[in-house]
Amino acid sequence: MFMFSCGDTLVHEIIVFQEEYRSWFVGQTVQEDGSLYLTTRVDPIFLVLPYLIKAEKKGKLMTSDQLVIDDDFPECNRLLSCTGLNELHHVCDIKGDDDLKAYRYNKDKTLLWLKLKVTKLADRLQEKRINVSSGAAAASYVKSLKTEAGSKDDCIRYAHGMVSDYLNEEVSQELQEYLGIQNLQDATPVSEPPTKKAKLVEKVDPEENYYSTPTGKSGSQKPKKESVAQKKLKQVDKSGMKNIASFFSPKVKKEAK
């Protein structure tokens, strides 16, 4: 959403900050809608750029009043009164004199102009030490607690994303290639040191018996200590008792005489 200043000399973007649980205390009343509305100035060339690209695809030179016509947004012709449009030569070729000027979109000029915008914004982000990491809250512009600011490449990538909010997908992709920004999914991952200790190798029994004597006989081993139950079992008189295995052995049939 955009709004014009008095006299249509400036154009502003309206940014709405909303949270689920937020209200305003106004006097003795409580306003349920706690939204916060912020306005920021916008370069009007960003808003005129789509009309220039559309006209260029038709291969025509057009005057400004012919360019900025939109049935869906009839108030867009108010952009022609903005003071920033005197810089249109940065994004298009101009033919004619002061009385009658015709404009045609120039891709090379536009990419150079956008590069300057991105570079200036990236320098500002680095100067203010804005956290531009992947986990940063972009909407709140959280300052980094680290002593070192983000790298230049990270700030360029972040600034490109911010500027791309005002561009169509085609121009944003062209600008990315022009700036030499690599996609994050295509970037080579940087190896990081392990954060955890490696697991110990499971104990493996040796293949050879190192307790055996040179003659091949096993060395003397200490007898295992018997439990109390085992000692009592030895004291029981087992005479006349059958081995438990005998109950499971097959019975032998007697041959008939």
Side-chain angles (χ1 to χ4, degrees), residues 111-128:
L111 292 177
L112 178 59
W113 177 74
L114 291 173
K115 179 181 178 180
L116 295 176
K117 292 279 187 182
V118 171
T119 303
K120 185 176 180 179
L121 179 56
D123 292 341
R124 191 65 172 173
L125 291 173
Q126 198 168 26
E127 177 186 348
K128 292 294 183 179

Side-chain angles (χ1 to χ4, degrees), residues 12 25 39 60 79 83 95 105 137 190 199 216 219 227 237 242:
H12 294 77
F25 291 96
T39 60
K60 296 181 180 179
L79 290 169
T83 55
K95 303 291 183 180
Y105 173 71
V190 180
K199 294 183 178 180
S227 63
D237 184 9
K242 292 183 179 182

Side-chain angles (χ1 to χ4, degrees), residues 84-95:
L85 287 187
N86 56 4
E87 303 291 332
L88 277 177
H89 61 275
H90 291 303
V91 297
C92 60
D93 299 323
I94 302 176
K95 303 291 183 180

Side-chain angles (χ1 to χ4, degrees), residues 146-159:
K146 299 178 181 180
T147 55
E148 295 183 0
S151 65
K152 183 66 175 180
D153 292 341
D154 290 338
C155 291
I156 288 289
R157 180 181 290 105
Y158 196 86

Side-chain angles (χ1 to χ4, degrees), residues 16 40 102 144 194 227:
V16 183
T40 57
S144 175
S227 63

Side-chain angles (χ1 to χ4, degrees), residues 2 13 15 40-42 46 114 117-126 128 130-133 136-142 154-168 172 175-176 179 181:
F2 299 92
E13 180 184 12
I15 302 174
T40 57
R41 284 184 58 180
V42 178
F46 281 109
L114 291 173
K117 292 279 187 182
V118 171
T119 303
K120 185 176 180 179
L121 179 56
D123 292 341
R124 191 65 172 173
L125 291 173
Q126 198 168 26
K128 292 294 183 179
I130 303 298
N131 186 357
V132 296
S133 62
S140 56
Y141 299 98
V142 179
D154 290 338
C155 291
I156 288 289
R157 180 181 290 105
Y158 196 86
H160 167 262
M162 295 180 67
V163 173
S164 294
D165 290 340
Y166 303 92
L167 305 174
N168 60 37
S172 175
L175 178 59
Q176 179 178 344
L179 294 172
I181 299 176

